[in-house]
Amino acid sequence: MDNSLPYERDLARYKIERAKEELENANLLYENERLKAANNRAYYSIYYSLTAVLCLEPVAFKKHKDTLAYFNKNYVHGGKFPPEIGRAVEKAAKIRHASDYDEFYITSKDEAARQIDTAKRLIDLVTKYVEKAAN
């Protein structure tokens, strides 16, 4: 049963659009071999997708790690999203952190492509989840 208000569903849809925009940015950066930046934008696509789901409760966190932990506990472990997406999200967060803060971190095209794939798969899953919740 959907207990969210129309505003919360609209906010969730807005967050999905932000996720799609960041996915487009990740693809552009990837195509131009800006792989660390592509990892960053793919992660933010993932993050906006997660916050879209949380908008329906509504719940929000100041720290990304809290958002990820809450999503994994309540939505992955709760059976609403597959376990492999939870693992992929955790890996994306680690890779984004390394890409942004470890000056000696070397990423590969394959790794960046996996990050982008994770973002795309999550957008698809979250879009279906939000639309199902809205009906």
Side-chain angles (χ1 to χ4, degrees), residues 40-108:
N40 177 282
R41 293 298 89 193
Y43 167 78
Y44 274 92
S45 175
I46 291 164
Y47 178 76
Y48 285 127
S49 292
L50 299 182
T51 62
V53 172
L54 274 52
C55 285
L56 298 176
E57 290 198 39
V59 62
F61 299 94
K62 290 183 179 183
K63 295 182 179 179
H64 286 219
K65 69 178 181 120
D66 295 336
T67 301
L68 273 61
Y70 186 88
F71 178 82
N72 276 329
K73 179 182 176 191
N74 292 285
Y75 291 91
V76 174
H77 296 265
K80 296 173 184 168
F81 286 86
E84 62 272 7
I85 203 68
R87 288 188 294 273
V89 166
E90 289 293 328
K91 183 164 182 102
K94 289 177 184 173
I95 290 170
R96 193 280 303 187
H97 192 272
S99 290
D100 286 357
Y101 299 110
D102 183 349
E103 62 187 86
F104 298 110
Y105 183 75
I106 298 172
T107 191
S108 69

Side-chain angles (χ1 to χ4, degrees), residues 26-42 95 99-100 105-113 115-116:
N27 278 312
L28 289 170
L29 290 161
Y30 177 82
E31 290 166 9
N32 288 286
E33 304 212 17
R34 304 287 192 206
L35 302 179
K36 286 184 177 185
N39 285 341
N40 177 282
R41 293 298 89 193
I95 290 170
S99 290
D100 286 357
Y105 183 75
I106 298 172
T107 191
S108 69
K109 284 195 88 157
D110 287 342
E111 182 177 72
Q115 299 303 96
I116 290 169

